[in-house]
Every structure is written in C-alpha cells, then in structure tokens.
Amino acid sequence: MSESSEVKTFQPLGQFTLPPTPADETIRRFAGDLWRTLRRETEDPFISDDSLRVATKRKLNRIVPPPACGPLLAEMHATFDQWSRDPEPIHWMQLVVLPPCDHNHIVSTWAKQAGHTIVEAPERAVILNGSEDISLPEIEGDGVVVIPRLEDWFIRHRNGLRLLRRLLDRLAMLERHCVIGCNSWAWGYLEKIVGADLVLPVGVTLQAFDADRLFAWFTELVESGVAEGKIFRLTTTGEDIFARHSDGESANSEFLTTLAARSLGVPWVAWHLWRSSLRVAPKDNQKIAKQFPDEEALWVAQLDDFHLPKNHVSNALLALHALLLHNSLTADELSIVLPSVDESNLLVALVAAEFVERDGDAFYCSPTAYPTIRQALADAGFPLDRL
Amino acid sequence: MQNESSEAIDTQQATAMATNTVADGANVVGAANDVAKDAATAAANQSGKSSSKASDEAVQLINDWQDISLLQIAVIVVGVLVTIAIIRRLLPFLAERGPSQLRLYLLAAVPIIRLLLMTLAVVWIIPIVFNVTFQNFLVIAGGASVAIGFAFKDYVSSLIAGLVAVFERPYRPGDWVRIHGDYGEVQSVGLRAITIRTPADDIVTVPHLYMWQNNVSNSNDGARTLMCIADFYVHPDHDAAALRGALRDVVMTSAYLEYDKPVLVVMSEEPWGSHYKVKAYPFDMRDQFMFITDLSVRGKEAIAEIGATEVTSPYTAIEKTDSPPSMTF
C-alpha cells in the first residue's frame, strides 16, 4: 500500500499546508485576462473545448459519483475512534474545523455512521424570534455527543451570538465526550468575537489534499464508478491524467498539482472543479476515434477561472462573506445580517454568475467558486478563515 | 733642494687648478639660478593668466546661449512631466483596482516618485543652463535669498514644508486627516499643498505651510483602518449593563468589523442622560461611514429591545412670520 492510500488522521489547526502552485500556473494567473486570451489564441490544443460536450449532471454523477468527501470519513474514524472509547480522556471535547462549502456534512455523516448523538442547532427562525429564555438543546447524558455545525447557530446575529455564549458556558462544564464541528470561517469569527478558543480545545483539521492525495482518491473513484476502463485525457495535450509509472506513482501529475493548488487543498472543492472540467466527445468525432481506437476517452478541459461581476463588488463580497460564515442563508436571513438596504437582485446575479448555489430557499457559496471568493475577500481586506 | 722646488711648483699648479674648478662651479650655479628665475617668472605669469581666466568664468553665471541646448532642456522637462503625469494616474488606478493591502503603499509612492523625478530634472538641467562654480553658487544663493525673502516667502515655506512632509509623513495619500477643521481623505500630496476630499465630496486644498504652526490630526497614519465612534444618547432610566452588552454585540455582529482590533463600549453620565460611545475598527477605512451607520441603525434596535429610550435635545422652532424679512439699503 502506498503512503497516499494509507488512512491519515486529522492534524492540529495551524498545520494545514496549502499545496504548492506550479510556477507556470502562478505566472498565468498573475498575467490576467489579456495574457490568458493571447495564450489561448496562440496555443494549439490537442482537441478544442468547443468540439466537446459538457456532461450532464446525471452522467457526471455516474462517472464520478458523490460524495465529495473522499477518505475523510475514514480519517475521522481513525482520529476519534480511540478517544471516543476512552472513559476518562484528557479532553472531553474535540473541535473539528473544516473548510467551508462542505455539502456532505462530514461531521454529521461520521456521527451517524458511528452511532453518536447529534445535537442540531435550533431553527434560525426560533433564534431570531427568541429572547433570553430560548432553551438550549439537551447535551447531558452518556456516549459521544456531536454538535456538527456551530455556524448553523446564526452566529452573526445578536440572538445567535447570545445563544452561542450560553452553549459555550454549558460545554465548559460538560464531562462527556463531545465533538464540535465548525467551518473555518465561522471558527475564525468565533475565536475573536466570543473567545471560543478559550473554552474549546485546539481544533483538528484535515490534511490538505495535494496532487498525490487527489491522485489516490480520484483513481479509486473512477475505478469504482461506471468510468472504469475510461481514459481521462487532457484536452490540451491528450495525456492521460491517471497514467502511472511502473512503480504505481502518478506519471502525469501536472494537472492534479494545479488542481490541488487551485482548490486550496480542499477535497470537495477539487472534486467539484474536476467534475466541472469533464467533457464528453461527440459520437461522430472521427479524429478521436482514429487516434484512440480501442478506448473510450473522457476529456478534461482547462480549469475555469471565475470573475466577480464588476458592478456592486463590495456588496457582493459582503453577501459572500456572510454566506461563508453561516454555511447557508435564506434571502431574508441574509438581509438581516447584511448592512445594505439596496441590491435586492444581488443574490440572483450571484447565482447567475455561479458564485452562489440555491437549494430550496437556502443559498450557499459554490465550491467551484470558493477559491476565487476567498481571494477576492482577501484582496478586499476581509477577515479570513484560519486552518 | 731641487726636489723641494719641484714639489712647490706642483703645489702651486694644483692650487691653481683647484681655483679654476671652483670658479667653474660658481658659474654653473649662477646659470642654474638664472634658469630657476626664468621658470618662476614664467610660472607666475601663467598663474596670473589662469586666475584671471577663472575670475572671468566666475562672473559668467549663465553659459553662452550657443552652448545651451534648448531642445535638450525641453526633452527633459517634457519627459519628466509626462512621466509624473503617468505615475499620478497609474498608481492611483492600480491602487483602486489592486489588493486592498497595497493601496496605501501605492498611493504613498506618488509624491516620493514625483519629488525624485523633479530633483533629477533640476540636477540635469542646471549644468546645461548655468556655469556651475562655487562662486556662482554663492552669487545665486545670495540673490535668490533676497528675492525669496521678499516675494516668495510663503510659497517657498510651503515648498520646504512639502519636502519635510514627504519624509516626515504627517500625511500620505489615502490617509484620513483633519487639518484646520477640514476632515477628509488625502487625495494627493503636492510640493506646495495637499488636496483632501471631504465626505461631502468637496476638494479642499491645504498648503503645507499649515503644518508649521497647526495640528494635523491623522486618523489612520498609514494603517488600513481607523477607529470609528457611534454615539448613543439614552434616558438614564435603563439597565446600563444590559445595554452595554447589547451594544457590544451590535458591534461584534457588524459585517464591517475588523476582528483583530479592540471593541470598546464606554459610557458617561451627562446631566441630560447617558452617553454611550461605541468604538471599533472597520477592516477597510473607506467603509467608516457605512460602519457607523450600521452601528447606529442596529444600536437603535438594541436600545429599543431592552426597553431604553433615546433622548434628544429640545428642539427650538424658528419663529415664522407672515411678512417677508425687511431689507434695508
């Protein structure tokens, strides 16, 4: 078993190392739109993206099936298994800080798989209408209790903040195995605003998904899905991105290295970016059939660059920042936590630009746009997350 | 005896020969002295000519018109002016569109680069126009000091203050300053004056001269943020601890808040009620007025939620009369 396929454990906060960006990718991104445009014009791709079809969501789900959390569930088991069976642990609480845009609810899923008690946050409507006497969920008892998402407690509202302080006070006195999940943006906020780091122990987080980890995970994914036997070729060079050397190591990791850097080491961001780059060749494409007669190729296009709409950028960033802090918000909830009194069509524009996705009434940041959002927030001086 | 006489003759001859040799030596020395005198005279003459020539050059302040290349001067002036104009537009352009962290550095570089370019142009042009000697420098400095003393005292004082301001940095482009009652963002730092844009979108030009004798209040001093204060005036009959906590939460939940800076809610009792000051920093100082507005709006909600009442000063209506105001000529 290679090192990359071993089950890793989570690591303490502060040790999350961003995967390195290849030099040419760095130059390419710095050069800006004009340079990119010129480069594309002068390049002669192996196969033009225009001649390929974008795969449907149903087809993508068959080729690269969800969930997008990869080996993280196994890693959580490996991290907390021994601790959860210790009757008198050094720390009764464990804090898990994960990057945002986790639509797989990893901590909840792990808790369900392990049979732990899950304590969900009160409904946001209850928090909004609540006063001092709003009751906290019951957390006393035996076994492991899991509070999967602190960001669900409507933390950037006065009522939510007050409720969260009461929860932290209760947790400080709790002598029960307790795992608390929180996304990195919400944790960065709670650390400073309510001093949550004084109550909760040092958090743990996943190890960044670099090219090797992505290679191991994606290889396992494609070999277990209906894509088994298909070859994933780059549209620019025609190379197989999952080709191996004789020792089993990745032969062509440039794409995966770029993907790891672009996704900031976040597995679900990498997974969504990869899926969004997959293309299907038209059935009557004779050129491909001649060159690769005995195989069915899936094509991997260049990773898309996202650009914020040029107008109303500051309001858009405020909205995106609020969404990252809360994981998801309805339009009404968003208007409560935002200072702006205008821009009623802002969410619609952000959905159209694929920065925001919608699930019923809830809006949340798109994983594929997350790296761009984070960079834009950093450029604008917003307080950032910490991993 | 014969031998003795012959020896005497030899001695005389030898003495005569010695005498002749000494005489010859004296002649040589005399000749050498003559040469030296001639050389000294020639050198003295040459020195006199040189000092006379230098004296003539010292009197000539400006080079001959034939030697002054007006085209070269024009190229230098135009080149420097164009470069300055480009920098004055390019750097603020980049500052507005680049990362927020670089904004103040780019803006602050504008006056320094302009000063360096202008200094370069002056140093380049002076030898073309003027005959640069120490004597000329004294002559020009003397004349200039008289002219400056009488005619351009304030102007030059502003220029010197401008030079001091570039290095002492009491204000930089992008800073928010209050000078002589005007508060606003420093738009540009020129050699003679600065321009600030007030919140009312007025451009105010303030000569550097003010810096000598007036206070310059700089709210951010080169930092990306500055303290904002929202005031609340509340009737004294309320739960002060609860309101203080509520106002603190108002700040903590603001979208503009810089987490890493302190948040303070201070209160003082006044004869007319309780005065709360909420002090905090936005992450970008350009949001300062929106930040204060956000704090004020949500602070009012918090005050109402805990059952307190805001107070206002008595309003004195202006008396209206039916007749128009009389005018006296």
Side-chain angles (χ1 to χ4, degrees), chain A residues 318-341:
Chain A
L318 286 170
L320 293 167
H321 186 236
L323 289 176
L324 286 176
L325 273 178
H326 295 90
N327 181 44
S328 73
L329 290 169
T330 65
D332 289 340
E333 291 165 354
L334 188 62
S335 67
I336 290 171
V337 297
L338 286 187
S340 179
V341 291

Side-chain angles (χ1 to χ4, degrees), chain B residues 138-150 152:
Chain B
L138 293 180
V139 171
I140 292 170
S145 60
V146 172
I148 289 167
F150 283 102
F152 300 110

Side-chain angles (χ1 to χ4, degrees), chain A residues 265-335:
Chain A
V266 183
W268 40 87
V269 172
W271 186 83
H272 279 93
L273 283 172
W274 180 47
R275 269 172 50 118
S276 68
S277 68
L278 291 182
R279 302 285 185 273
V280 182
K283 289 176 183 173
D284 56 349
N285 196 322
Q286 297 298 322
K287 180 185 173 187
I288 297 173
K290 282 180 185 173
Q291 292 195 344
F292 306 106
D294 299 326
E295 69 174 41
E296 188 178 349
L298 283 168
W299 294 92
V300 183
Q302 277 203 315
L303 298 170
D304 288 333
D305 284 331
F306 284 80
H307 299 284
L308 274 169
K310 289 184 179 172
N311 297 325
H312 314 292
V313 172
S314 56
N315 285 322
L317 290 178
L318 286 170
L320 293 167
H321 186 236
L323 289 176
L324 286 176
L325 273 178
H326 295 90
N327 181 44
S328 73
L329 290 169
T330 65
D332 289 340
E333 291 165 354
L334 188 62
S335 67

Side-chain angles (χ1 to χ4, degrees), chain B residues 242-260:
Chain B
L243 181 53
R244 188 161 178 248
L247 289 177
R248 185 174 170 79
D249 281 355
V250 164
V251 183
M252 294 300 193
T253 52
S254 174
Y256 297 111
L257 180 68
E258 168 63 59
Y259 304 162
D260 290 328

